[in-house]
Amino acid sequence: MKNEIRDNIRELVIKYYEEYHVDKKEYMEGDRIQYSGRIYDSDEMVNLVDAALEFWLTAGHYVEEFEMGLAEFLNIKHCTLVNSGSSANLCAFMALTSSKLGDRRINKGDEVITVAAAFPTTVTPIIQYGAIPVFLDVTIPDYNIDINRLEEARSKKTKAVFIAHTLGNPFNLQYIKDFCDKYNLWLIEDNCDALGTEYFYNGEWRKTGTIGDLSTYSFYPPHHITLGEGGAVCTNNTQLFRLVNSFRDWGRDCWCASGVDDTCKHRYTQQFGELPLGYDHKYVYSHFGYNLKPMDLQAAVGCAQLKKLPKFVAARKRNWKYLKENLKCVEDFLILPEPTPNSAPSWFGFLMTVKKNAGFTRSQLAQYLEGKNIQTRNLFSGNFIKHPCFDEMRKTRIGYRVVGDLSNTDIIMNQSLWIGVYPGMNQKKLEYMVKTIKEYVNTYKYQEA
């Protein structure tokens, strides 16, 4: 009877999806074009309802299935699901502060190389912990870290490099990983915008997120796949995997899975700190951690999304290629993006920089596109150190270091914007975006003539 009722519910969910969630409206020129959004069908809704019927709620078998599935997709050993991409960055960074890493741990006052042209949560954990971010400029048109300044940026206090693959375009992984290996530095790949990107590393194609010591992911709705909210940390290093789990799970020393006891078979036989001998290992805390665990409801959606990921990646590549090929005619006015050599990006967006002599500004172009119902975005924080959260730090120049003048970062802050390439784009939407950009640029081309 129970299975029969569940089967009936699943059938009703499918019927509900087909009746109320399938967008039957054909796109008409001028309809709103989002830069990104959820792509789903009845599979996600059935999984979500199935998890609700089980009512386990916290991390359960769907979380385990998702972690195994993402690890398999990436070809990496370990995956830890968390409640957001920001939490993923926090857990990944905090894992490197653990005393269990000995001399390689990041201490307060140690330095971490990063960029200011970043999403805040790549930098925030460094500052919140009390380490020192060292900001480098980026290069255009790949919009990734300027590797020529790495040696200058390194000091005796440098312990790690923590940077993102910008809008799916990977930074020079070969050079940066070699640099990290040379000086025994940790490398965290913020892979939140690059799930599915590949890079030719040491003679073989590898997915980004598998080359650094740790990698992070976000599953917020605009990303390559969505769990509604959610993120992940991946690694091939078992010690780092357990440290990530510790910081995610209240800082506990025990590494048993949720709902499981005494995996190590020494639950009541060990000595920790000044606790009594044999204190229950389940309640021993080796770190000041958090509760950043996901819900099984989220993971249930993610399990369905993972099956669609290869098609999503292919669509993003195809849409980006169309925009690049059909906007070449406006390169006198706009700098178009270029993929990093030896890479096959799984693009998050199509980034353009308005040239200084274009005759119009980024804001004017953005307002025109928004007025034509084409959603645009700036490249996240532009120059993060110019935001209000840095006001006090800027006054004292204490708490961070800048190498160079960040001139390209300022160009991005003032002149760059991007539009979407997500799988929800169809040919008519792509054509309309190209047509609209050309129309706007051509008004200035004819004025110039």
Side-chain angles (χ1 to χ4, degrees):
M1 176 65 73
K2 179 181 177 183
N3 289 338
E4 184 179 340
I5 293 173
R6 274 181 105 141
D7 287 342
N8 289 337
I9 291 172
R10 289 189 184 107
E11 289 176 10
L12 286 171
V13 169
I14 294 170
K15 185 176 179 180
Y16 186 89
Y17 164 80
E18 291 173 347
E19 186 66 31
Y20 297 107
H21 281 260
V22 174
D23 186 3
K24 301 180 175 71
K25 181 176 176 290
E26 185 178 351
Y27 171 76
M28 300 294 292
E29 188 174 290
D31 289 346
R32 184 69 168 162
I33 300 177
Q34 304 287 344
Y35 80 91
S36 195
R38 307 167 300 168
I39 303 296
Y40 65 98
D41 58 28
S42 60
D43 296 341
E44 285 81 355
M45 295 183 70
V46 167
N47 273 16
L48 182 60
V49 170
D50 192 60
L53 293 174
E54 291 176 358
F55 213 68
W56 181 258
L57 299 185
T58 188
H61 76 89
Y62 274 117
V63 168
E64 183 179 355
E65 181 184 335
F66 181 86
E67 289 174 336
M68 291 175 62
L70 182 59
E72 183 179 356
F73 175 81
L74 294 168
N75 192 24
I76 201 167
K77 287 182 182 178
H78 304 295
C79 173
T80 299
L81 190 61
V82 294
N83 61 357
S84 74
S86 301
S87 296
N89 279 344
L90 177 62
C91 285
F93 178 79
M94 291 304 295
L96 301 182
T97 70
S98 172
S99 61
K100 294 178 182 289
L101 297 176
D103 291 340
R104 291 201 68 193
R105 74 178 292 194
I106 298 175
N107 294 290
K108 296 180 191 298
D110 283 339
E111 295 183 345
V112 179
I113 295 172
T114 188
V115 297
F119 196 77
T121 56
T122 309
V123 178
T124 299
I126 304 170
I127 294 172
Q128 289 179 332
Y129 173 69
I132 308 297
V134 179
F135 293 108
L136 270 67
D137 205 2
V138 298
T139 52
I140 298 174
D142 64 289
Y143 301 93
N144 281 303
I145 189 169
D146 184 354
I147 59 173
N148 297 311
R149 307 302 289 265
L150 281 171
E151 291 286 351
E152 182 184 351
R154 191 187 70 87
S155 75
K156 292 180 180 179
K157 293 184 176 182
T158 306
K159 287 288 184 71
V161 176
F162 188 2
I163 44 179
H165 302 296
T166 304
L167 291 187
N169 198 23
F171 52 80
N172 188 329
L173 270 162
Q174 186 71 63
Y175 188 97
I176 292 176
K177 186 60 167 66
D178 289 348
F179 171 81
C180 289
D181 290 345
K182 178 181 178 181
Y183 295 110
N184 200 29
L185 308 177
W186 299 108
L187 174 59
I188 305 178
E189 294 179 65
D190 183 330
N191 207 41
C192 290
D193 293 346
L195 181 56
T197 290
E198 294 181 310
Y199 185 89
F200 195 69
Y201 174 76
N202 280 352
E204 63 174 340
W205 284 99
R206 297 263 297 272
K207 286 193 169 64
T208 54
T210 66
I211 296 168
D213 298 287
L214 292 154
S215 60
T216 59
Y217 303 82
S218 174
F219 307 124
Y220 188 66
H223 284 87
H224 289 63
I225 59 173
T226 185
L227 282 64
E229 297 284 355
V233 184
C234 292
T235 183
N236 278 313
N237 184 313
T238 300
Q239 182 184 32
L240 293 181
F241 169 64
R242 289 182 177 174
L243 292 174
V244 167
N245 286 350
S246 176
F247 280 100
R248 181 194 67 173
D249 301 351
W250 309 286
R252 65 179 186 166
D253 195 83
C254 173
W255 41 270
C256 289
S258 181
V260 177
D261 296 332
D262 205 18
T263 304
C264 66
K265 307 302 181 187
H266 295 287
R267 183 177 176 185
Y268 299 107
T269 63
Q270 301 176 79
Q271 177 72 60
F272 297 97
E274 297 182 6
L275 291 168
L277 177 66
Y279 194 84
D280 187 353
H281 191 212
K282 197 82 174 175
Y283 293 96
V284 173
Y285 302 94
S286 52
H287 305 102
F288 293 105
Y290 319 90
N291 179 5
L292 303 175
K293 293 192 297 179
M295 298 178 68
D296 228 36
L297 298 163
Q298 295 169 273
V301 173
C303 288
Q305 286 272 289
L306 270 178
K307 295 174 183 177
K308 300 176 172 68
L309 180 53
K311 291 183 179 179
F312 289 168
V313 171
R316 286 178 175 274
K317 290 181 177 181
R318 183 173 62 249
N319 294 342
W320 187 93
K321 183 180 179 183
Y322 180 88
L323 293 176
K324 181 64 185 290
E325 289 177 348
N326 287 275
L327 287 173
K328 286 181 179 178
C329 59
V330 300
E331 286 187 300
D332 288 343
F333 297 83
L334 302 175
I335 300 172
L336 302 184
E338 292 288 347
T340 299
N342 300 315
S343 75
S346 173
W347 296 98
F348 188 55
F350 190 85
L351 184 59
M352 301 171 286
T353 297
V354 177
K355 291 186 176 181
K356 198 106 180 179
N357 61 351
F360 56 88
T361 66
R362 185 268 310 280
S363 294
Q364 288 172 328
L365 175 59
Q367 289 172 31
Y368 182 81
L369 295 178
E370 294 282 354
K372 295 291 186 176
N373 266 334
I374 298 170
Q375 193 174 40
T376 67
R377 287 290 183 267
N378 290 353
L379 186 57
F380 309 130
S381 63
N383 185 340
F384 190 32
I385 66 175
K386 294 194 174 182
H387 284 254
C389 55
F390 270 83
D391 284 351
E392 292 301 317
M393 296 171 73
R394 275 199 308 274
K395 290 176 185 176
T396 60
R397 296 291 290 181
I398 296 173
Y400 68 98
R401 202 158 61 80
V402 176
V403 176
D405 60 7
L406 304 185
S407 56
N408 284 335
T409 301
D410 285 340
I411 288 172
I412 289 167
M413 177 180 64
N414 291 305
Q415 298 167 226
S416 299
L417 81 165
W418 58 278
I419 55 178
V421 297
Y422 82 116
M425 298 288 181
N426 58 30
Q427 189 64 28
K428 288 185 177 180
K429 291 180 180 181
L430 292 168
E431 289 173 357
Y432 179 68
M433 289 196 297
V434 167
K435 172 189 169 185
T436 305
I437 293 170
K438 285 181 178 179
E439 283 177 350
Y440 184 75
V441 170
N442 282 339
T443 61
Y444 289 87
K445 182 183 293 187
Y446 298 140
Q447 286 176 17
E448 192 176 77

